[in-house]
Amino acid sequence: MADMEGDSKGVPEKEVDDAEEIKVTNEDNTNNVMNHQKKQHREKKNKKKKRRSLSFPRLGCLRTESVKNGGVDMEVQFPGERNDSTHLVIMVNGIIGSAQNWRFAAKQFLKKYPEDVIVHCSERNSSTLTFDGVDVMGDRLAEEVKNVISRHPSVQKISFVGHSLGGLVARYAIARLYEQEQTQETSQTNGDCGTDHLGDSFPEGQSKDKIAGLEPMNFITFASPHLGSLWHKQVPLFGGSYALEKLAARISWLLGRTGKHLFLKDGKNGKPPLLLRMVSDCEDLKFISALQSFRRRVAYANVGFDHIVGWSTSSLRRRNELPKVKHLPRVDKYPHIINVEAAKPATLDEVPSEVEVGGDKKINMEEEMLKGLTKLGWERVDVYFKGSRQRFLAHSTIQVKNYWTNSDGADVVQHMIDNFLL
């Protein structure tokens, strides 16, 4: 019995060992299966991420934040990472516009530069607030920019992109935000404006001057009436009729103070109109020095089909300097861009101080504005929507104001982004 008991004790003991070995083996197999499933799940997830990254490389999420004081911040945030984008892009809408007008372009910026850029679409000057005048709107934009910078302490550089009236508002705002870090000769004429010293104090691109404490990089305008809307054929809608142009100037008050600024009807008590003052440095506002501080200045202009802003005023050229359209080639990648001119600063000898055309003093003011603005180098990009079904909406199409009705301008937006200086 003892032997039998001994044997009986030994058998179960071995069976237990075998059972445990089988159990461990089964657990290993189960773990292997589970690990394999997890691996497949991870690979599937990575493939999904890879597919998404075709639109936003390494994208965690596109964060859009509407700000209480106006505007929309757009940036890409990566999971588990702190967002330290260094370049702030301010996008400014035109007359009766809003932050939504630049939404398409903002998204394209973030697709191209997801780790570098924060885009802020301004809305402090939207809808009927755009009738308040370029100066009032410029002051609002300047305050808005300061608020944006305070929310994003990582930013080190700043760029502006303005459409139509937004280009003029941005020019005023940067003068408010301009911080001079080098000693230069300035006009000491009790608030009078002057440009004689420009270009002599320091070379372009080597200034240490700042805009709101940040390094100024790109200043870009789309179909902006830099010379105003008063001159012959500057508003194509009037068809070159002097009668209609004079009538528009008389009723410019319908657009509030903005209308007076655009048609240069705001000069009082011997004080020049605002747009004329904005092409020089004044004692309190350094309009030209602020523009000069940017590494690039770019003017995108519609060659035709823009009924609101003419080719001359938006490209900063005299009408006899406009290139011949039939000699301008198209590029397959950007089918609606027919001409790109590199920046070439004019010399004082090339621009007369006063030009009398039929004894019309208004033409002199146009020359003065051209003289002041073209003293700086501007890249010029000519856009032509000939053949497009959206050509009669060219003023909005150039910025893709609404993708469903202005999508043909996508190549123009892409050109801006591809040539953007980070």
Side-chain angles (χ1 to χ4, degrees), residues 71-305:
V72 176
D73 287 354
M74 297 177 69
E75 59 184 318
V76 174
Q77 285 193 333
F78 301 103
E81 296 181 21
R82 181 180 175 181
N83 187 18
D84 289 321
S85 300
T86 57
H87 200 142
L88 175 62
V89 180
I90 304 294
M91 310 195 86
V92 191
N93 59 271
I95 199 162
I96 321 180
S98 72
Q100 297 300 317
N101 299 160
W102 277 118
R103 193 175 184 86
F104 172 81
K107 287 184 177 180
Q108 306 315 303
F109 258 118
L110 295 173
K111 285 182 181 179
K112 178 83 173 181
Y113 309 113
E115 300 179 33
D116 303 298
V117 163
I118 295 171
V119 181
H120 177 80
C121 301
S122 170
E123 200 167 9
R124 289 289 292 275
N125 298 299
S126 61
S127 190
T128 54
L129 292 176
T130 56
F131 297 155
D132 290 345
V134 173
D135 51 355
V136 172
M137 295 168 66
D139 286 340
R140 287 191 198 127
L141 178 59
E143 288 303 312
E144 185 177 3
V145 170
K146 290 178 184 176
N147 290 333
V148 176
I149 294 171
S150 67
R151 294 195 303 273
H152 301 284
S154 65
V155 295
Q156 302 169 12
K157 303 174 182 178
I158 190 167
S159 293
F160 286 79
V161 182
H163 174 250
S164 192
L165 177 64
L168 300 181
V169 175
R171 278 174 49 199
Y172 192 96
I174 63 172
R176 278 281 181 228
L177 298 168
Y178 176 69
E179 298 175 4
Q180 196 171 19
E181 295 191 355
Q182 290 184 345
T183 302
Q184 302 181 51
E185 287 184 32
T186 55
S187 176
Q188 302 293 333
T189 53
N190 299 321
D192 290 344
C193 305
T195 58
D196 290 343
H197 66 282
L198 291 178
D200 300 329
S201 301
F202 50 85
E204 283 189 66
Q206 295 183 23
S207 168
K208 293 182 180 179
D209 297 347
K210 304 289 185 182
I211 298 295
L214 305 179
E215 182 183 356
M217 300 298 289
N218 307 268
F219 188 89
I220 304 171
T221 62
F222 280 69
S224 289
H226 290 289
L227 309 178
S229 304
L230 178 62
W231 321 112
H232 186 46
K233 294 184 180 179
Q234 297 294 34
V235 181
L237 181 65
F238 301 145
S241 167
Y242 280 110
L244 288 176
E245 289 168 355
K246 288 180 180 179
L247 176 62
R250 289 195 187 101
I251 62 173
S252 59
W253 55 268
L254 290 173
L255 298 178
R257 293 182 72 248
T258 298
K260 291 182 178 181
H261 288 158
L262 288 174
F263 285 89
L264 286 87
K265 295 297 182 182
D266 58 309
K268 291 182 180 179
N269 303 321
K271 198 173 185 180
L274 178 63
L275 293 192
L276 187 55
R277 280 179 275 145
M278 284 174 58
V279 302
S280 56
D281 274 357
C282 300
E283 187 175 338
D284 55 340
L285 290 171
K286 311 296 183 186
F287 293 108
I288 291 298
S289 290
L291 262 179
Q292 187 184 31
S293 69
F294 284 82
R295 298 275 295 277
R296 296 174 70 226
R297 288 160 298 279
V298 191
Y300 284 80
N302 278 314
V303 170
F305 304 109

Side-chain angles (χ1 to χ4, degrees), residues 100-105 108 163 222 302 305 336 383 385 388-414:
Q100 297 300 317
N101 299 160
W102 277 118
R103 193 175 184 86
F104 172 81
Q108 306 315 303
H163 174 250
F222 280 69
N302 278 314
F305 304 109
H336 299 112
V383 180
F385 290 107
S388 166
R389 289 179 294 178
Q390 300 169 0
R391 61 188 179 278
F392 296 112
L393 302 173
H395 190 67
S396 297
T397 299
I398 196 172
Q399 73 160 154
V400 192
K401 185 175 183 179
N402 182 308
Y403 187 77
W404 300 109
T405 55
N406 309 121
S407 58
D408 284 357
D411 64 312
V412 182
V413 170
Q414 194 60 50

